[in-house]
Amino acid sequence: MMDNVSVMTTFFLSGLHETMNYQRVLFFVTLLCYCLILLVNITLIVTIIMDKNLHEPMYILLCAICMNALYGTAGFYPKFLWDLLSPVHVISYSGCLIQAQVMYSFACADLFILSVMAYDRYVAICRPLEYHSVMSKQRVIKLVCYSWMTPFCMMGINVFLTSRLKLCSPYIAKLFCVNWIIVKLACFPAETTFNSIVAHIIIIIYIFHGLFIVWSYMYLIKTCVNSIENRAKFMQTCVPHLISLLIFLVALLFDVINMRFTSKDFPQAFQNFVGIEFLVIPPLMNPLIYGFKLTKIRNRIAGVIMYKTK
């Protein structure tokens, strides 16, 4: 038996078992949701790339977060849509590890980009004379590359450690593969110690990212309280970022709580909704929030629409 588990080639995803009667409806709702995510994110990306007036740090970072949304959702929606049309929900061993890599690196890259956006707003409002030297276009592009490569490498190490474990079960009680769930399938829990250490180090690193964001906004609020001009800047550019951050953190927190602490007494449908919330709400809402709130983007999109309708 141990020889068999060490060469496991397939996982069974059991998260959809309680929704078999509604799979067609879920397929069309999910397809609509994914098409909307693609539409709003690609629209914002193309708008920013095509308009040279938007080649500023804040818009470059917004473009990066939209690209990251396309990356993260591509790791989930196509496979999930296929599962909704299939009687058996399976995924290959290598495919499962790749999906786990994409899910984790997407979430961590999002948090990294949000922390860079917080720093950008801090420099713009609190140190306006230094803004163009501190947040140069070249530096912002380097930070964006760093925000993608660092999570990808760290999660790659985590997934590599998982790939070395001998597993005793091919059943994953979720809609998609998550590294921690795979680790819990290990035959020998003692072998997962190093996985836990690396995972906790990564969690601590990104907790510091969150604390940095909190510190940045505490300082920003303190600076803006007594200045009408700074309050206007804060409302125009910081409020969309705060909303995006709140949506992302709430969605991620629900998923972590569901994965590690939620009782099995909760309905599977509820657990599924909580589990995919961070793949639905932030990728869909972020472009809409920024598109409506940031004047330059709103005017640019409105101009294109009016030109097309003439």
Side-chain angles (χ1 to χ4, degrees):
M1 181 179 177
M2 293 309 298
D3 290 337
N4 290 334
V5 298
S6 65
V7 292
M8 190 177 295
T9 58
T10 304
F11 286 105
F12 296 89
L13 303 172
S14 59
L16 278 174
H17 285 181
E18 291 186 9
T19 58
M20 295 295 287
N21 296 330
Y22 311 100
Q23 283 187 228
R24 298 287 178 180
V25 175
L26 284 173
F27 174 82
F28 288 110
V29 171
T30 304
L31 181 61
L32 176 62
C33 180
Y34 188 40
C35 288
L36 285 173
I37 288 171
L38 292 175
L39 175 65
V40 294
N41 283 280
I42 291 173
T43 299
L44 215 57
I45 291 167
V46 172
T47 300
I48 293 169
I49 290 174
M50 297 298 291
D51 191 342
K52 291 184 178 180
N53 294 323
L54 298 177
H55 293 181
E56 300 173 8
M58 181 173 63
Y59 301 107
I60 293 172
L61 293 169
L62 176 56
C63 185
I65 211 166
C66 290
M67 288 179 177
N68 193 53
L70 294 179
Y71 162 71
T73 53
F76 169 72
Y77 282 96
K79 175 66 174 71
F80 182 58
L81 287 167
W82 178 262
D83 284 342
L84 287 171
L85 296 178
S86 305
V88 181
H89 312 126
V90 298
I91 186 170
S92 68
Y93 179 80
S94 58
C96 191
L97 293 179
I98 291 171
Q99 191 175 55
Q101 165 79 6
V102 171
M103 295 296 99
Y104 274 66
S105 57
F106 153 69
C108 291
D110 240 23
L111 187 57
F112 195 116
I113 296 169
L114 287 169
S115 65
V116 176
M117 292 174 83
Y119 181 68
D120 173 74
R121 293 300 86 205
Y122 158 74
V123 177
I125 294 175
C126 301
R127 298 160 57 189
L129 298 179
E130 304 173 39
Y131 181 71
H132 291 292
S133 59
V134 174
M135 296 299 291
S136 64
K137 190 183 296 183
Q138 292 78 12
R139 183 169 293 173
V140 171
I141 292 172
K142 287 179 182 178
L143 285 170
V144 168
C145 293
Y146 186 70
S147 69
W148 282 329
M149 294 305 298
T150 304
F152 191 84
C153 293
M154 287 195 298
M155 296 309 156
I157 293 170
N158 216 10
V159 170
F160 171 73
L161 292 172
T162 301
S163 70
R164 302 178 67 185
L165 298 174
K166 291 183 178 181
L167 307 178
C168 277
S169 172
Y171 296 99
I172 296 176
K174 284 182 75 71
L175 300 176
F176 57 91
C177 292
V178 178
N179 190 62
W180 181 250
I181 301 294
I182 302 171
V183 170
K184 291 200 294 185
L185 301 177
C187 298
F188 306 106
E191 291 183 350
T192 67
T193 302
F194 199 52
N195 295 71
S196 297
I197 292 171
V198 172
H200 283 95
I201 290 171
I202 293 171
I203 289 170
I204 290 169
I205 289 171
Y206 283 96
I207 285 174
F208 276 108
H209 281 67
L211 292 175
F212 173 77
I213 294 171
V214 171
W215 173 83
S216 298
Y217 273 95
M218 286 178 64
Y219 203 90
L220 273 169
I221 292 168
K222 182 181 176 182
T223 303
C224 294
V225 166
N226 298 319
S227 169
I228 295 175
E229 182 182 351
N230 285 341
R231 282 205 299 270
K233 284 184 181 178
F234 184 88
M235 292 301 295
Q236 178 67 26
T237 61
C238 296
V239 170
H241 178 257
L242 278 174
I243 295 172
S244 298
L245 179 65
L246 184 63
I247 289 171
F248 174 76
L249 290 179
V250 169
L252 200 60
L253 181 63
F254 268 106
D255 185 53
V256 171
I257 291 172
N258 175 62
M259 188 166 56
R260 298 211 176 198
F261 306 110
T262 298
S263 167
K264 292 182 180 179
D265 293 334
F266 281 99
Q268 184 65 48
F270 173 78
Q271 293 187 47
N272 289 345
F273 173 76
V274 170
I276 66 170
E277 192 181 1
F278 79 106
L279 290 161
V280 177
I281 299 177
L284 186 58
M285 294 303 298
N286 284 346
L288 294 175
I289 291 168
Y290 280 101
F292 282 112
K293 187 64 179 174
L294 297 181
T295 306
K296 283 187 178 181
I297 291 179
R298 188 172 67 245
N299 291 343
R300 175 62 177 167
I301 293 174
V304 171
I305 293 172
M306 289 178 66
Y307 177 79
K308 294 291 185 182
T309 54
K310 283 184 179 180

